[in-house]
Amino acid sequence: MFEFLDQFNVTENVAFELSLARGLDYYTGCVYEAVCCGQDTFGSIAGGGRYDNLVGIFSSSDKKAKKGKKGEAAAAPSVPCVGASIGIERLFALLEARMQAAQAAEGASAVSGPLAGLRPSETQVFVVAVGKGASDEQVRELTRLRLRMASQLWAAGIAAEFAYSAAPTMKGQLKAADTCGCPVMVTIGQAEMERGVVQVKDMRTRQHG
């Protein structure tokens, strides 16, 4: 196994541990666990191994064999498998701890709400259109500007999002921006549309740029 690991240049990240034990009732070969070096308090974040008989226990052919002649032992068919599972809660706890440590090292102020620790999405900018009291034509123009702004951000490699309804409310858009944890919100209103500008807001500090 270590000869194969050498070919992937990952041997230095693997340790052979004779005391490791997992699922003795169904694992039939090599077992393994993944840990994050320097984060002993989290334990393993993934684990798995080789199991040849587990799948066969639940296979349809095994069920038919058990209905055979009386007295005949129906052996479960061997279905060699290798699998692994990831502890998603531990993984997110680890990522959140790392992010908080990085924020502390940079002297960043404490962040509350959806921006604390991990963000719910990768979206960087939420594009908002404000058209309260606007005419139908103005609403359509605001929609076009909203789509155009998102398209320009995407072309620049910036993850952007916007409300999908034709005439979204300001309250609904603010809620959506908070929910996705976007660090920046760009607002286009009638005044901005007339001046050919946009309003930029830092969602962490709630300050307008």
Side-chain angles (χ1 to χ4, degrees), residues 98-121:
R98 283 188 169 185
M99 182 171 288
Q100 290 174 347
Q103 289 175 342
E106 295 172 0
S109 58
V111 180
S112 60
L115 292 177
L118 295 173
R119 294 198 298 113
S121 75

Side-chain angles (χ1 to χ4, degrees), residues 1-208:
M1 181 181 71
F2 275 83
E3 289 181 1
F4 293 145
L5 293 174
D6 284 337
Q7 306 310 309
F8 288 108
N9 296 318
V10 295
T11 308
E12 62 181 15
N13 300 321
V14 180
F16 185 58
E17 180 57 67
L18 290 171
S19 63
L20 181 62
R22 293 179 58 87
L24 299 177
D25 53 341
Y26 58 88
Y27 281 117
T28 58
C30 176
V31 294
Y32 42 82
E33 289 187 350
V35 297
C36 186
C37 297
Q39 299 286 346
D40 299 335
T41 56
F42 287 95
S44 63
I45 57 175
R50 171 72 175 260
Y51 44 94
D52 290 346
N53 303 322
L54 184 62
V55 174
I57 295 174
F58 303 100
S59 70
S60 59
S61 59
D62 182 44
K63 293 178 181 178
K64 293 178 181 179
K66 288 182 178 179
K67 296 180 181 180
K69 295 181 180 179
K70 187 176 181 181
E72 290 183 358
S78 176
V79 182
C81 296
V82 175
S85 61
I86 299 175
I88 193 68
E89 290 183 357
R90 287 189 181 183
L91 189 59
F92 271 91
L94 174 61
L95 292 173
E96 186 171 14
R98 283 188 169 185
M99 182 171 288
Q100 290 174 347
Q103 289 175 342
E106 295 172 0
S109 58
V111 180
S112 60
L115 292 177
L118 295 173
R119 294 198 298 113
S121 75
E122 296 182 353
T123 305
Q124 296 293 322
V125 179
F126 197 92
V127 182
V128 170
V130 183
K132 186 176 182 181
S135 65
D136 291 343
E137 181 55 37
Q138 288 175 322
V139 169
R140 283 193 293 271
E141 181 60 24
L142 284 170
T143 299
R144 286 192 287 268
L145 290 173
R146 188 160 40 117
L147 298 177
R148 188 184 308 157
M149 174 61 64
S151 178
Q152 291 173 346
L153 290 168
W154 293 334
I158 300 173
E161 192 174 338
F162 55 86
Y164 299 128
S165 57
T169 63
M170 187 62 186
K171 181 179 179 181
Q173 292 177 97
L174 284 172
K175 183 178 180 181
D178 276 331
T179 300
C180 76
C182 299
V184 176
M185 184 175 74
V186 172
T187 304
I188 306 171
Q190 294 180 66
E192 288 78 15
M193 182 172 61
E194 292 172 359
R195 294 163 51 199
V197 298
V198 297
Q199 190 177 116
V200 180
K201 182 177 182 180
D202 187 325
M203 296 299 286
R204 293 190 175 94
T205 63
R206 301 294 177 179
Q207 299 294 318
H208 289 87

